[in-house]
Amino acid sequence: MFGYLVRRVLAAIPVMGVVAVFVFLLLRLTPGDPAAIIAGDQASPEQLERIRISLGLNEPIYTQFFTWIGKVLRGDLGVSLISQVPVVQMIGQRIEPTVSLALSTIILSIVVAVPLGVIAAWKHGSLVDKGVMSLSVLGFSIPVFVIGYILIQIFAIELKWLPVQGFRSLSRGLWPFFERALLPTLTLSFIYIALIARMTRAAVLDVLGEDYVRTARAKGIAEHAVLLRHALRNAAVPVITVIGTGFALLISGVVVTESVFNLPGIGRLTVDAVLARDYPVIQGMILLTSGLYVLINLLIDVAYTLLDPRIRY
Amino acid sequence: MSVETLSEAGEGPRSRLSASLMLAASSPLTLIAALCLAVVVASAVFAPWIAPHDPLQLAPAQRLKPPGAEFPLGTDAYGRDLLSRVVYGGRVSLLVGLGAALVSITIGLAIGLVSGFFRPVDAVVMRIMDGLMAIPAILLAIAVVSLSGASLATVLVAITIPEIPRVVRLVRSVVLSAREEPYVEAAISVGTSLPRILWRHLMPNTIAPLIVQGTYVCASAILTEAILSFLGAGISPETPTWGNIMAEGRTYFQLKPSLIFWPGLLLSAAILSINLLGDAARDALDPRMKRREGTR
């Protein structure tokens, strides 16, 4: 067990290494002078030289890589080319809206999608099942921003129940935070609910065909106990796994949702950085989100090795 | 041996493939999806004949007109005809979808075949693929576009890169199981050349799953292209694409929501139909998958 945990943690290192090399090479392998790419066509030679020095582009490429990776490992993601503020500080200032959006989406999605998936599998082939399946196909097909604008149109413009856009920190009161967070959370939850409900349904459906479920039913155990204690518990591994792999999807969704609802989070920060070609910020964001993705999936793997006695490596 | 097995043995994999696709087409939902997609594709292909106006023609006097006889869906903030723009917008989106599916499958197939067959290559290639999969697709794509400039080619590359690892994993898993089959061992033992083993004996196993995966890649590429344009990191704003029309519509959304709804509707309809056709193809080609519809 301990050996497995160590191997699993070690296996995450090459993955992050590949991400780092990719992010590093992306700028260097793009055709043309990297400094000119970042500065744009109107840049003066002095501006170009400043960018070259700030990114260390005058050094040989392997020196550049090791200097850069050394800084990254010490938590230094460089300095924004536009505002001259350290990237870590920029991300820190704008992380609150993003974290609150991501967390509320994950919580809402699990609360809605897991029961939906269980019911769909239990009443396999029924109207509920067909409804859940249609919803999940729709969730994958309607772009996040289209859902966002439909919700704004209905609830903010026609009914005037909620504000159109913006963000209020939780520290400034529960209701102002909640009424602004509701629509973005609903918007982003749609695709996540689709993903989790689909997976829960498939996993529970698989388990319901097992012998121990038939035995449990034959013993006369109440149906809800069969579903919760026997079926859902055993179906938990694939469901939790898909919540982890869906994290990349969640990040992509966050970027779009923040733009639709004008939330000052790190998704909006990334888009602004892309439009301004602020490469250190883009680089930092890719490293941060990929790192989180790898970490979350690592924790999930470790968690069910510890929790599920059947999984032994 | 019964008559049935004999006749089945007589059919090639190709005819079985087309038979299963015929079977898939018999469901009403699939037919509706196919019809819907056909309408969207036709409107894009025949855009020059359908569009009542030049999609690029500016007419400041006609800004934000409501739908009427001259402009069936009204005009945008620059007085351009919305219907014409939406119809032309489908061209880029569908082209990107098709392009991304073809390119990612070609590259993914090549990498997956080699990686599934050679252990040492496999270890390295799969780590690289894991790394690429850890980067959120949208971030990867906008980073590539922002560095290389926004043209149709860079957008296509940016969208294709994050799709490749999924194809590679699929092909590799098929190759790993097919490699143990007696006919592959037999082919190796009689000294069949390596390219021939990969192409003649292993590749045909990947066709059915790749058709299914191709439809999903296509749908997700169309979605990513729209998101890129919507965020302002896609093909240049003058070109009408569904994402660009919606991005411009954002500013005037409260005044004229139809600027977002019409392209959004076509976009969703196209992606939905492609996904449904993919599901139908999967059910027809691999009946074992039918029960566990959670995986993609």
Side-chain angles (χ1 to χ4, degrees):
Chain A
M1 171 84 97
F2 182 73
Y4 165 73
L5 291 182
V6 172
R7 274 203 310 279
R8 183 63 188 79
V9 173
L10 288 180
I13 295 173
V15 175
M16 278 319 291
V18 169
V19 174
V21 171
F22 184 83
V23 168
F24 176 79
L25 288 181
L26 198 56
L27 178 63
R28 275 82 182 173
L29 289 187
T30 307
D33 176 7
I37 290 172
I38 289 172
D41 301 330
Q42 280 90 38
S44 63
E46 293 80 41
Q47 275 174 314
L48 290 183
E49 194 52 34
R50 214 186 64 221
I51 290 176
R52 279 198 201 100
I53 292 170
S54 117
L55 291 177
L57 291 172
N58 291 331
E59 309 284 322
I61 194 149
Y62 55 89
T63 322
Q64 285 180 41
F65 182 74
F66 287 111
T67 320
W68 176 74
I69 203 86
K71 280 186 180 170
V72 169
L73 288 176
R74 285 192 303 264
D76 177 5
L77 294 176
V79 172
S80 159
L81 295 174
I82 310 290
S83 64
Q84 308 297 332
V85 176
V87 174
V88 175
Q89 195 186 328
M90 288 176 90
I91 292 177
Q93 282 166 352
R94 298 180 63 167
I95 200 132
E96 193 197 337
T98 308
V99 170
S100 64
L101 175 61
L103 279 183
S104 52
T105 299
I106 293 178
I107 294 170
L108 179 73
S109 308
I110 293 176
V111 169
V112 173
V114 171
L116 273 184
V118 172
I119 296 172
W122 180 42
K123 297 280 176 200
H124 182 42
S126 70
L127 266 178
V128 182
D129 185 23
K130 292 202 173 90
V132 170
M133 287 311 285
S134 322
L135 190 79
S136 76
V137 178
L138 278 179
F140 279 115
S141 305
I142 306 180
V144 176
F145 49 90
V146 175
I147 298 173
Y149 280 110
I150 292 175
L151 291 179
I152 292 181
Q153 176 71 19
I154 297 174
F155 293 104
I157 297 179
E158 302 278 341
L159 298 172
K160 297 194 183 350
W161 286 354
L162 297 162
V164 177
Q165 287 174 325
F167 176 78
R168 231 7 107 65
S169 170
L170 190 54
S171 55
R172 292 171 62 186
L174 188 62
W175 177 247
F177 165 79
F178 181 75
E179 65 172 2
R180 284 172 181 79
L182 189 60
L183 288 184
T185 305
L186 285 177
T187 303
L188 189 53
S189 298
F190 207 58
I191 187 168
Y192 224 52
I193 290 176
L195 183 75
I196 299 174
R198 211 177 155 106
M199 198 60 192
T200 311
R201 176 185 173 277
V204 172
L205 210 52
D206 256 6
V207 173
L208 284 180
E210 298 283 342
D211 290 342
Y212 55 80
V213 169
R214 196 157 25 111
T215 312
R217 280 183 173 148
K219 281 198 300 186
I221 292 177
E223 192 63 17
H224 67 89
V226 173
L227 281 178
L228 297 181
R229 205 169 317 142
H230 295 264
L232 185 59
R233 235 175 125 183
N234 285 293
V237 168
V239 173
I240 295 174
T241 310
V242 83
I243 295 173
T245 49
F247 180 75
L249 200 70
L250 186 69
I251 290 296
S252 298
V254 163
V255 173
V256 180
T257 311
E258 286 184 0
S259 292
V260 171
F261 290 93
N262 243 334
L263 306 178
I266 53 174
R268 192 63 232 167
L269 176 72
T270 317
V271 175
D272 292 342
V274 163
L275 299 180
R277 293 186 165 175
D278 195 347
Y279 195 69
V281 178
I282 304 174
Q283 192 167 277
M285 276 301 298
I286 294 182
L287 281 174
L288 178 77
T289 51
S290 315
L292 272 175
Y293 174 87
V294 171
L295 183 70
I296 287 176
N297 284 293
L298 175 71
L299 290 178
I300 287 176
D301 265 15
V302 170
Y304 55 60
T305 331
L306 296 176
L307 297 177
D308 191 336
R310 287 171 307 174
I311 298 177
R312 286 279 175 270
Y313 296 88
Chain B
M1 196 184 272
S2 73
V3 182
E4 268 175 29
T5 35
L6 270 179
S7 71
E8 203 172 279
E11 290 176 22
R14 203 169 295 264
S15 64
R16 235 184 307 147
L17 198 70
S18 60
S20 351
L21 288 176
M22 290 288 285
L23 184 77
S26 58
S27 125
L29 189 62
T30 314
L31 275 179
I32 296 172
L35 204 67
C36 184
L37 185 64
V39 170
V40 176
V41 171
S43 76
V45 172
F46 299 111
W49 291 276
I50 296 171
H53 299 271
D54 178 353
L56 302 177
Q57 196 191 352
L58 304 173
Q62 313 277 5
R63 295 178 79 234
L64 298 169
K65 284 267 168 174
E70 201 191 347
F71 303 104
L73 299 181
T75 59
D76 70 4
Y78 300 95
R80 294 171 297 197
D81 178 42
L82 183 58
L83 175 66
S84 309
R85 288 184 69 73
V86 169
V87 168
Y88 268 95
R91 296 191 141 192
V92 175
S93 299
L94 296 172
L95 202 66
V96 167
L98 195 67
L102 290 177
V103 177
S104 66
I105 282 184
T106 311
I107 298 177
L109 178 65
I111 301 177
L113 281 177
V114 174
S115 169
F117 199 77
F118 298 104
R119 278 283 152 94
V121 181
D122 188 45
V124 177
V125 168
M126 289 325 282
R127 289 297 81 72
I128 296 177
M129 295 300 142
D130 284 348
L132 280 181
M133 279 181 90
I135 306 177
I138 299 287
L139 289 188
L140 181 58
I142 56 180
V144 171
V145 174
S146 76
L147 286 175
S148 328
S151 69
L152 187 60
T154 42
V155 167
L156 194 60
V157 170
I159 293 175
T160 308
I161 293 175
E163 300 288 351
I164 291 175
R166 273 173 265 276
V167 181
V168 171
R169 285 184 153 214
L170 180 73
V171 172
R172 169 182 177 270
S173 70
V174 173
V175 171
L176 279 181
S177 62
R179 198 177 60 170
E180 309 299 325
E181 298 281 335
Y183 62 84
V184 176
E185 275 179 36
I188 297 172
S189 64
V190 296
T192 312
S193 74
L194 192 72
R196 204 175 153 80
I197 291 177
L198 290 181
W199 191 250
R200 287 280 306 188
H201 299 283
L202 293 174
M203 193 282 287
N205 292 296
T206 65
I207 294 177
L210 279 182
I211 290 177
V212 178
Q213 187 67 24
T215 61
Y216 295 147
V217 171
C218 183
S220 117
I222 292 178
L223 194 57
T224 313
E225 189 279 322
I227 291 175
L228 285 182
S229 300
F230 181 78
L231 294 174
I235 295 161
S236 72
E238 300 94 66
T239 318
T241 73
W242 289 333
N244 275 339
I245 303 171
M246 286 187 270
E248 286 171 6
R250 280 165 70 179
T251 327
Y252 305 94
F253 176 70
Q254 305 212 15
L255 245 108
K256 199 169 188 303
S258 62
L259 288 177
I260 287 188
F261 287 149
W262 284 112
L265 183 72
L266 252 78
L267 176 64
S268 311
I271 299 171
L272 184 62
S273 330
I274 297 173
N275 273 334
L276 286 174
L277 289 176
D279 286 351
R282 181 200 56 202
D283 292 347
L285 294 170
D286 187 0
R288 275 167 308 162
M289 284 296 294
K290 193 164 185 164
R291 252 183 76 224
R292 1 181 345 121
E293 277 153 335
T295 47
R296 330 198 105 194

